[in-house]
């Protein structure tokens, strides 16, 4: 298990224990974190699980794959620390990870 903190755009935090092997997106969906829709179910085929990885965690989380970078092109307000949460696997090394959710665009 790893503690992941999801921070909504409005600042509301959600501190969750997420099982190793799940994705950061799956942890959010299983716990009904608002702002992570995961329309494609984690297949890296949409950008509805877009998050900003806290800069202090960037190195541990790693860089997005080429496929993920292509999908991020469809996300709103992409930044240097943008990731698709479906592509981040939870490990013990990510215990304490902080991700922020972007403002929802309708």
């Amino acid at each position: 298990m790893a503690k992941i903190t999801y921070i909504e755009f409005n600042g509301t935090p959600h501190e969750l224990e997420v099982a190793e092997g799940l994705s950061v997106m799956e942890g959010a969906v299983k716990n009904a974190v608002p702002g992570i829709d995961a329309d494609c179910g984690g297949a890296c085929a949409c950008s509805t699980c877009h998050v900003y990885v806290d800069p202090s965690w960037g190195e541990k989380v790693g860089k997005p794959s080429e496929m993920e970078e292509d999908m991020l092109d469809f996300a709103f307000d992409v930044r240097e620390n943008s990731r698709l949460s479906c592509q981040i696997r939870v490990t013990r090394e990510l215990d304490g990870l902080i991700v922020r959710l972007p403002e929802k665009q309708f």
Side-chain angles (χ1 to χ4, degrees):
M1 296 290 261
K3 184 175 79 173
I4 311 285
T5 302
Y6 303 82
I7 302 174
E8 292 181 52
F9 182 76
N10 68 9
T12 303
H14 300 267
E15 284 189 13
L16 304 172
E17 291 287 332
V18 180
E20 289 181 59
L22 293 180
S23 69
V24 171
M25 177 275 297
E26 289 170 313
V29 170
K30 288 180 183 292
N31 291 282
V33 174
I36 295 187
D37 297 331
D39 290 343
C40 74
C44 196
C46 71
S47 61
T48 62
C49 68
H50 175 215
V51 296
Y52 304 117
V53 173
D54 188 87
S56 65
W57 286 91
E59 193 171 305
K60 281 193 178 180
V61 170
K63 301 273 185 210
S65 68
E66 189 175 321
M67 183 170 77
E68 182 180 350
E69 284 182 357
D70 289 345
M71 274 293 108
L72 281 166
D73 288 342
F74 297 101
F76 179 77
D77 194 19
V78 174
R79 302 176 186 172
E80 189 175 312
N81 60 335
S82 287
R83 290 293 308 268
L84 296 181
S85 59
C86 69
Q87 298 301 296
I88 303 171
R89 286 277 153 217
V90 175
T91 63
R92 281 185 211 160
E93 290 75 30
L94 295 185
D95 186 43
L97 176 66
I98 300 167
V99 296
R100 290 178 171 74
L101 284 59
E103 183 175 16
K104 293 297 283 179
Q105 297 299 308
F106 298 98

